[in-house]
Amino acid sequence: RNQPVTVTVTGAGGQIGYALLFRAAAGAMFGSHTPVRLRLLEIPAGVRAAHGVALELDDCAFPLLASVDVFDEADRAFDGTDVAVLVGARPRTAGMERKDLLAANAGIFGPQGRAINDNAGDDVRIVVVGNPANTNALIASAHAPDIPVDRFTALTRLDHNRALAQLSHRFGVDTGHITRMAIWGNHSNTQFPDVSNVAVKGSPLAGSQLDRAWLRDEFIPKVADRGAEIIAVRGASSAASAANAIIDHVHDWFKGTPAGDWTSAAVMSRGEYGTPAGVFCSFPVTASGGAWHIVPDLKMSDEARSRLAISTDELLAERAAVAELGLLPVHHV
Ligand code: NAI
């Protein structure tokens, strides 16, 4: 048995929390030899629900679940944490302007970044899920000056998995036979799901597989707008699939991505592929040694570059709005 890993989940009383925590406690993140300590953070209005989840976690008698604790205070919730999963966020409500949404979330992710900075374990890794995820990750990292920025990520694995599923249906092969998919840009409907490097059973797409009209009119909008489709059909936003993507993301971060393949995650841009430095942008990435690496030297068409630019322009606009509100430390602007 390995040393236990401490995982803090914010918004633990919400729907993603409910779909995530049981799988984390069952060992899905780190494998069957690594016990997990769960620390659940909620706002006071959500603490009772989180306590309810803790009771049910207890009742599963998971052999790997070393402890469960519930908090309504960030400093304590992040004490000694190895993995911080930031799910809790302020949702957009009717009539709310984007500026108000960004400000409300900065009020959450700034203090949580500071609390992680001051209390988490030395090797802490952070994945931001709550939307707008990329910009919330920027705000959190900006308030954590002692933590290397590469430890912060925003989740785009759900978009990646959605793309794999669509390609699996289209080509009639299991998702496991599809490699080198890439999600670029923001976790929003401006994202660019890019199949130009995809291989099916190891062979690059060719001939009718590269049906440009299908890619442009069906595949890309299907993946980019899938969140809205789930809400329309299910009557609630995606939760189990989001939780599954969080598990995949954390699992790969610790265990590495398979040889010959990559995945997608939003990491701090240093200008790779012409993206603006200083925003969290989704890239094709590999993981090894507990770190993400942007896949280098991929060819990009002019169309791909212009699609990516639309999404990074949105990231820049979000960053500018947050900076204008005085919510980013000056050195980050
Ligand atoms: P939910 O509303 O069911 O749960 C959110 C929970 O967060 C609530 O229990 C709330 O009390 C709590 N919370 C709010 N502020 C908090 C704070 N400051 N500290 C701790 N907890 C806090 O929402 P759900 O469905 O679980 O989604 C959560 C977030 O994840 C949303 O922002 C949603 O847009 C985002 N999301 C992101 C995805 C991605 O791929 N990046 C996919 C799906 C959802």
Side-chain angles (χ1 to χ4, degrees), residues 10-17 41-43 45-46 49 86-91 108 112 128-133 154-159 162 187 237-239 242 245:
T10 76
Q15 51 155 5
I16 293 176
L41 177 63
E42 262 292 350
I43 51 176
L86 307 188
V87 177
R90 174 74 163 81
I108 294 173
Q112 287 184 359
V128 176
V129 180
N131 280 313
L155 187 77
T156 55
R157 185 62 172 266
L158 178 54
D159 310 293
R162 285 166 169 166
H187 169 69
S237 60
S238 44

Side-chain angles (χ1 to χ4, degrees), residues 156-173:
T156 55
R157 185 62 172 266
L158 178 54
D159 310 293
H160 184 95
N161 287 346
R162 285 166 169 166
L164 292 181
Q166 294 305 317
L167 295 173
S168 155
H169 298 318
R170 175 79 177 178
F171 301 136
V173 296

Side-chain angles (χ1 to χ4, degrees), residues 174-267:
D174 295 344
T175 52
H177 290 307
I178 300 165
T179 51
R180 303 186 179 214
M181 176 62 211
I183 303 291
W184 301 85
N186 199 1
H187 169 69
S188 76
N189 60 7
T190 68
Q191 67 179 256
F192 172 39
D194 176 15
V195 303
S196 53
N197 300 287
V198 162
V200 175
K201 295 191 171 171
S203 303
L205 295 186
S208 64
Q209 289 176 318
L210 275 170
D211 177 345
R212 293 174 59 82
W214 176 76
L215 286 170
R216 186 190 58 227
D217 300 334
E218 293 183 47
F219 172 76
I220 290 176
K222 185 77 167 180
V223 173
D225 298 331
R226 184 68 158 186
E229 184 184 354
I230 300 290
I231 293 172
V233 177
R234 195 175 93 90
S237 60
S238 44
S241 54
N244 179 68
I246 295 167
I247 300 267
D248 286 348
H249 178 101
V250 174
H251 175 273
D252 286 358
W253 202 345
F254 278 74
K255 302 278 184 186
T257 43
D261 197 9
W262 60 63
T263 186
S264 302
V267 298

Side-chain angles (χ1 to χ4, degrees), residues 265-284:
V267 298
M268 173 60 88
S269 165
R270 295 190 168 85
E272 294 87 349
Y273 292 101
T275 59
V279 296
F280 278 80
C281 181
S282 187
F283 290 100

